[in-house]
mmCIF file of all heavy atoms in Angstrom:
data_model
loop_
_atom_site.group_PDB
_atom_site.id
_atom_site.type_symbol
_atom_site.label_atom_id
_atom_site.label_comp_id
_atom_site.label_asym_id
_atom_site.label_seq_id
_atom_site.Cartn_x
_atom_site.Cartn_y
_atom_site.Cartn_z
ATOM 1 N N ILE B 7 148.968 176.107 8.645
ATOM 2 C CA ILE B 7 148.964 177.506 8.828
ATOM 3 C C ILE B 7 149.646 178.285 7.669
ATOM 4 O O ILE B 7 149.498 179.458 7.341
ATOM 5 C CB ILE B 7 149.351 178.063 10.184
ATOM 6 C CG1 ILE B 7 150.786 177.996 10.406
ATOM 7 C CG2 ILE B 7 148.591 177.502 11.220
ATOM 8 C CD1 ILE B 7 151.290 179.071 11.311
ATOM 9 N N ASN B 8 150.561 177.498 6.896
ATOM 10 C CA ASN B 8 151.292 178.086 5.823
ATOM 11 C C ASN B 8 150.392 178.494 4.640
ATOM 12 O O ASN B 8 150.641 179.113 3.766
ATOM 13 C CB ASN B 8 152.280 177.113 5.310
ATOM 14 C CG ASN B 8 153.422 176.961 6.306
ATOM 15 O OD1 ASN B 8 153.722 177.818 7.109
ATOM 16 N ND2 ASN B 8 153.876 175.801 6.465
ATOM 17 N N ASP B 9 149.076 177.844 4.774
ATOM 18 C CA ASP B 9 148.119 178.147 3.621
ATOM 19 C C ASP B 9 147.557 179.478 3.790
ATOM 20 O O ASP B 9 146.900 179.985 2.856
ATOM 21 C CB ASP B 9 147.090 177.175 3.683
ATOM 22 C CG ASP B 9 147.579 175.807 3.229
ATOM 23 O OD1 ASP B 9 148.242 175.722 2.239
ATOM 24 O OD2 ASP B 9 147.063 174.854 3.808
ATOM 25 N N LEU B 10 147.791 180.290 4.926
ATOM 26 C CA LEU B 10 147.312 181.635 5.207
ATOM 27 C C LEU B 10 148.293 182.507 4.447
ATOM 28 O O LEU B 10 149.429 182.574 4.682
ATOM 29 C CB LEU B 10 147.331 181.925 6.571
ATOM 30 C CG LEU B 10 146.204 181.114 7.500
ATOM 31 C CD1 LEU B 10 146.470 181.402 8.928
ATOM 32 C CD2 LEU B 10 144.826 181.491 7.047
ATOM 33 N N GLU B 11 147.725 183.277 3.522
ATOM 34 C CA GLU B 11 148.606 184.220 2.805
ATOM 35 C C GLU B 11 149.152 185.344 3.612
ATOM 36 O O GLU B 11 150.243 185.812 3.528
ATOM 37 C CB GLU B 11 147.943 184.720 1.543
ATOM 38 C CG GLU B 11 147.925 183.741 0.460
ATOM 39 C CD GLU B 11 146.855 183.770 -0.491
ATOM 40 O OE1 GLU B 11 146.237 184.875 -0.763
ATOM 41 O OE2 GLU B 11 146.294 182.721 -0.889
ATOM 42 N N ASN B 12 148.290 185.883 4.478
ATOM 43 C CA ASN B 12 148.638 187.051 5.302
ATOM 44 C C ASN B 12 148.028 186.930 6.728
ATOM 45 O O ASN B 12 146.826 187.180 6.909
ATOM 46 C CB ASN B 12 148.117 188.341 4.605
ATOM 47 C CG ASN B 12 148.516 189.607 5.409
ATOM 48 O OD1 ASN B 12 148.689 189.554 6.626
ATOM 49 N ND2 ASN B 12 148.689 190.745 4.688
ATOM 50 N N ILE B 13 148.857 186.400 7.605
ATOM 51 C CA ILE B 13 148.139 185.979 8.978
ATOM 52 C C ILE B 13 147.564 187.157 9.575
ATOM 53 O O ILE B 13 146.504 187.104 10.164
ATOM 54 C CB ILE B 13 149.243 185.226 9.762
ATOM 55 C CG1 ILE B 13 149.538 183.848 9.064
ATOM 56 C CG2 ILE B 13 148.681 185.065 11.133
ATOM 57 C CD1 ILE B 13 150.612 183.098 9.899
ATOM 58 N N SER B 14 148.341 188.296 9.838
ATOM 59 C CA SER B 14 147.866 189.378 10.548
ATOM 60 C C SER B 14 146.571 189.961 9.997
ATOM 61 O O SER B 14 145.653 190.326 10.580
ATOM 62 C CB SER B 14 148.826 190.438 10.994
ATOM 63 O OG SER B 14 149.522 190.792 9.776
ATOM 64 N N LYS B 15 146.495 190.030 8.681
ATOM 65 C CA LYS B 15 145.298 190.492 8.005
ATOM 66 C C LYS B 15 144.145 189.546 8.279
ATOM 67 O O LYS B 15 142.998 190.026 8.544
ATOM 68 C CB LYS B 15 145.473 190.695 6.446
ATOM 69 C CG LYS B 15 144.540 191.486 5.778
ATOM 70 C CD LYS B 15 145.003 192.113 4.483
ATOM 71 C CE LYS B 15 143.803 192.531 3.627
ATOM 72 N NZ LYS B 15 143.375 191.555 2.625
ATOM 73 N N THR B 16 144.430 188.258 8.221
ATOM 74 C CA THR B 16 143.430 187.269 8.359
ATOM 75 C C THR B 16 142.849 187.296 9.806
ATOM 76 O O THR B 16 141.624 187.230 10.015
ATOM 77 C CB THR B 16 143.950 185.775 8.106
ATOM 78 O OG1 THR B 16 144.499 185.836 6.848
ATOM 79 C CG2 THR B 16 142.899 184.797 8.318
ATOM 80 N N ILE B 17 143.729 187.494 10.839
ATOM 81 C CA ILE B 17 143.275 187.695 12.088
ATOM 82 C C ILE B 17 142.280 188.869 12.292
ATOM 83 O O ILE B 17 141.230 188.790 12.929
ATOM 84 C CB ILE B 17 144.466 187.835 13.086
ATOM 85 C CG1 ILE B 17 145.264 186.553 13.109
ATOM 86 C CG2 ILE B 17 144.062 188.257 14.541
ATOM 87 C CD1 ILE B 17 146.650 186.588 13.866
ATOM 88 N N GLN B 18 142.662 190.084 11.662
ATOM 89 C CA GLN B 18 141.802 191.191 11.758
ATOM 90 C C GLN B 18 140.468 190.912 11.110
ATOM 91 O O GLN B 18 139.464 191.392 11.679
ATOM 92 C CB GLN B 18 142.548 192.423 11.086
ATOM 93 C CG GLN B 18 143.820 192.945 11.863
ATOM 94 C CD GLN B 18 143.588 193.274 13.255
ATOM 95 O OE1 GLN B 18 142.483 193.666 13.701
ATOM 96 N NE2 GLN B 18 144.539 193.138 14.070
#
Side-chain angles (χ1 to χ4, degrees):
Chain B
I7 72 154
N8 298 324
D9 292 318
L10 294 170
E11 277 148 39
N12 183 331
I13 291 178
S14 45
K15 194 159 162 263
T16 303
I17 292 169
Q18 292 305 330

